[in-house]
């Protein structure tokens, strides 16, 4: 019996140590469960933040695309305005050259007419007994 008693005591000690190990493992399981739950909550929070940031990024991309389109349109308009201004400048230069050429032509015509006048005799009416005659030889009646 002493062996049985010793065996029972050993078994009782083993049972107690197993109970303590079980309690410790239950505490560890509970702590790990809490940790898992905390991690799951943190993951959900991060997932929501990720989704919100992705939506913001998508919105920024749309805004950026819109801004690129505006820049492109403004560049096209600027190029058109530049070409239009160049055309206006060319047109203005052509108009100035035309006006200058017309003025020169008028001056030349005026010079030609003024040079042609002195070679002609000044007009004087001829007197005849029938009446006055013009320089062309036609009679005018007064």
């Amino acid at each position: 019996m002493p062996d049985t008693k010793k065996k029972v005591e050993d078994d009782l000690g083993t049972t107690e140590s197993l109970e303590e190990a079980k309690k410790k493992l239950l505490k560890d399981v509970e702590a790990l469960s809490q940790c898992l739950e905390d991690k799951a909550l943190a993951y959900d929070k991060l997932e929501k933040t990720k989704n919100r940031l992705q939506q913001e990024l998508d919105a920024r991309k749309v805004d950026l695309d819109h801004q690129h389109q505006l820049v492109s349109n403004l560049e096209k308009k600027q190029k058109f305005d530049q070409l239009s201004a160049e055309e206006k400048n060319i047109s203005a230069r052509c108009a100035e050259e035309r006006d200058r050429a017309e003025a020169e032509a008028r001056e030349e015509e005026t010079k030609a007419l003024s040079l042609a006048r002195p070679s002609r005799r000044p007009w004087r009416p001829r007197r005849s007994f029938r009446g006055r005659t013009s320089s062309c030889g036609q009679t005018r009646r007064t």
Side-chain angles (χ1 to χ4, degrees):
M1 277 226 257
D3 285 336
T4 312
K5 190 175 182 182
K6 188 170 181 162
K7 188 170 180 164
V8 170
E9 285 177 9
D10 285 340
D11 287 342
L12 187 61
T14 304
T15 304
E16 286 176 5
S17 65
L18 287 175
E19 286 291 324
E20 286 177 25
K22 181 179 175 184
K23 286 180 184 178
K24 183 180 176 193
L25 288 174
L26 285 176
K27 282 183 184 179
D28 288 346
V29 167
E30 189 176 318
L32 288 173
S33 293
Q34 183 64 38
C35 184
L36 179 62
E37 189 177 316
D38 292 345
K39 298 289 183 190
L41 289 174
Y43 177 81
D44 289 343
K45 186 177 178 181
L46 287 173
E47 192 67 28
K48 287 178 184 177
T49 302
K50 176 187 152 198
N51 290 336
R52 181 182 51 83
L53 291 173
Q54 186 63 47
Q55 289 173 348
E56 287 179 16
L57 178 63
D58 292 343
R60 297 283 192 261
K61 284 181 181 179
V62 168
D63 289 343
L64 183 62
D65 288 342
H66 181 68
Q67 294 298 324
H68 281 291
Q69 186 63 38
L70 289 176
V71 167
S72 176
N73 290 342
L74 287 174
E75 286 173 346
K76 288 177 185 176
K77 184 181 182 311
Q78 185 179 20
K79 187 173 183 178
F80 175 79
D81 290 346
Q82 182 182 5
L83 290 175
S84 178
E86 289 174 6
E87 288 294 323
K88 285 180 183 178
N89 288 338
I90 291 170
S91 178
R93 268 186 289 164
C94 289
E96 287 175 9
E97 289 176 16
R98 182 198 64 220
D99 292 346
R100 200 171 26 255
E102 287 175 354
E104 288 175 10
R106 282 193 300 272
E107 285 180 28
E108 294 296 323
E109 186 178 356
T110 302
K111 283 181 185 177
L113 289 175
S114 68
L115 290 175
R117 264 192 213 148
S119 66
R120 289 194 219 164
R121 283 192 315 193
W123 180 76
R124 289 186 209 153
R126 292 184 195 161
R127 295 216 168 220
S128 69
F129 62 93
R130 291 191 179 175
R132 290 191 213 170
T133 58
S134 69
S135 63
C136 297
Q138 297 177 345
T139 305
R140 285 196 273 176
R141 296 190 185 200
T142 55

